[in-house]
Amino acid sequence: EPVAELLRPPWRAEVDFGDELAPQRLEAVAFDAVGREVARSVQVVNYGRPSYGAALLLDNAIPGRARGGRLVWRAVLDLSPEAIDLRFDGRPLAVEADGRFQVPPHDPGGVHALEAELTFPDQNVVRVDLAFGGILGERVTSALTAVPVTSPPGESWTLEDVEGWLAPARRDRAVPKPFSTSAEAGVVFMVKEPGARVALQQVHNAIRRWDLGRARRPKLLTYSIHAAAPRPLAVGPASRKGGTFELWDLGGVHPLKGLWADVYRFRMPRPKALPGSTDRPKRGALQIWDAVAVAGTRAARTNRPRALVVILAGSPDGDRSQLTLGKAARYLERIRVPFYLWVPDRRAKGELAPPPSVRAFAGPRGMVEMQEDITLAVASQTMVWIEGEFLPQEVSLSKGVPEGVQLVR
């Protein structure tokens, strides 16, 4: 849909994406004086990583010389990564402080892969990869999209199973072509209101007394837990520096106590001093539903089985989010991240009035039931990798899928 036509410098336009948070694609096309297309640029909005980006660049191949390259990045708050894991065909590769690296001797006739994972001080992670050589030619960036599909608990579909299952959401779009399938260990993102600890203490005591955890604990605890701060971290005046919601990797779910033990124990650590900054970092006002949208995007972009859970002390007072619970829920449904919500009692649940897409639970028994539901949901997802770059709303299921198979939401 055309949104602007620019005929002279400074080549700027304001685009209104509406009041709903949804993945969208903004495309700019440049023409010469006679109307021929000369350039095209695409930016994914509300789904990519606008605050964190990275790319792998290779020097031109020169016969008889070692081939070099460079890893470049861009990050909010001018952060530099605190850790870089660079690999060539799966083997670790040294990378210098400025991102330069040397590619080891290799067969130019074969296909090779460079993979990089950058971890920033706020624990946001960016992954980027590059495939080259052989039938791919000198330089080809791989373009694959992961689509989550429901599958039997603890099992995954094969590539042969999913052939013909996916279809374009619009008739004028290309048919998605499956490339492979995977069912790695899942990831659960958690946003916990700071004041929820008192309510969680009561849950802790009740579960110990009833021993419900042992009685109803699922056996498919194959996921890790990540926590997202409900308050954004800012450095300096808001007009000069942006904010970011910190993330923490809490590791694998506790094999004996399950999800709720990590929910109960987790406390936000004090903000770290950011490298290269003289300003002391501070957390801003409570923005739970904004944090949910950020954590949901991160969960979707892991390309793994996923879910998100919010733990509240009640109906959150003083929340300064730009989003509402309803808008955050609709966004997570659009990007295919199951959304769970826990509150201390049914009264708080009634006050929040969560929409139908949110799986809401209350009280100690609700915590145990939610843990069981999340575990089964994460264990019942297969990632179908398709060729090309697609937004979530651009892929649908065909009419020939087996009964019960759905796109994850």
Side-chain angles (χ1 to χ4, degrees), residues 249-268:
D249 184 351
L250 307 186
V253 65
H254 197 291
L256 297 178
K257 298 181 179 179
L259 170 68
W260 84 268
D262 291 282
V263 169
Y264 169 65
R265 286 199 300 260
F266 175 73
R267 290 186 181 183
M268 282 192 300

Side-chain angles (χ1 to χ4, degrees), residues 60-358:
N60 290 331
I62 301 177
R65 295 189 183 181
R67 190 168 191 181
R70 187 175 182 183
L71 175 64
V72 295
W73 58 82
R74 174 182 175 274
V76 71
L77 303 182
D78 301 323
L79 298 178
S80 295
E82 64 177 17
I84 297 176
D85 181 15
L86 177 63
R87 294 177 179 269
F88 174 72
D89 290 346
R91 301 188 300 274
L93 197 63
V95 56
E96 299 176 12
D98 63 354
R100 299 289 309 180
F101 59 86
Q102 293 294 317
V103 179
H106 57 276
D107 176 14
V111 176
H112 303 280
L114 281 165
E115 303 169 282
E117 180 176 288
L118 300 84
T119 303
F120 290 88
D122 61 0
Q123 297 310 298
N124 275 283
V125 176
V126 174
R127 297 177 179 87
V128 62
D129 57 86
L130 180 75
F132 66 95
I135 60 173
L136 298 179
E138 266 303 293
R139 219 180 315 177
V140 176
T141 302
S142 57
L144 297 174
T145 300
V147 179
V149 175
T150 58
S151 54
E155 301 179 20
S156 63
W157 302 116
T158 66
L159 181 60
E160 291 73 21
D161 290 332
V162 303
E163 287 290 346
W165 284 11
L166 300 180
R170 286 173 40 176
R171 292 183 179 179
D172 59 342
R173 299 295 173 89
V175 176
K177 182 180 179 182
F179 180 81
S180 66
T181 62
S182 65
E184 301 178 63
V187 58
V188 174
F189 277 73
M190 170 180 66
V191 179
K192 185 171 82 170
E193 186 180 359
R197 186 164 183 82
V198 174
L200 290 173
Q201 179 65 56
Q202 298 174 349
V203 172
H204 174 72
N205 295 338
I207 290 179
R208 289 185 61 185
R209 183 172 63 253
W210 300 336
D211 202 22
L212 287 178
R214 181 174 300 172
R216 302 190 60 180
R217 186 180 308 115
K219 298 180 180 180
L220 301 170
L221 296 175
T222 55
Y223 57 87
S224 60
I225 303 175
H226 294 246
R231 302 176 186 271
L233 186 69
V235 178
S239 60
R240 181 169 61 88
K241 295 279 190 175
T244 176
F245 291 88
E246 300 156 278
L247 299 173
W248 298 275
D249 184 351
L250 307 186
V253 65
H254 197 291
L256 297 178
K257 298 181 179 179
L259 170 68
W260 84 268
D262 291 282
V263 169
Y264 169 65
R265 286 199 300 260
F266 175 73
R267 290 186 181 183
M268 282 192 300
R270 295 185 62 185
K272 294 181 181 179
L274 300 178
S277 174
T278 58
D279 296 319
R280 182 174 181 81
K282 296 180 180 179
R283 293 193 179 102
L286 195 66
Q287 294 177 234
I288 291 176
W289 309 124
D290 294 345
V292 165
V294 172
T297 305
R298 298 293 185 265
R301 288 310 226 172
T302 62
N303 294 326
R304 292 160 57 188
R306 67 286 190 116
L308 182 143
V309 58
V310 176
I311 306 296
L312 296 180
S315 182
D317 297 323
D319 187 90
R320 301 292 182 86
S321 295
Q322 297 181 59
L323 301 176
T324 62
L325 166 58
K327 288 185 177 182
R330 288 192 290 275
Y331 177 63
L332 262 64
E333 188 174 16
R334 291 183 180 112
I335 63 174
R336 311 198 186 287
V337 177
F339 185 178
Y340 292 82
L341 173 68
W342 181 88
V343 290
D345 51 53
R346 295 184 179 276
R347 178 185 59 81
K349 180 179 174 181
E351 291 176 354
L352 283 168
S357 62
V358 177

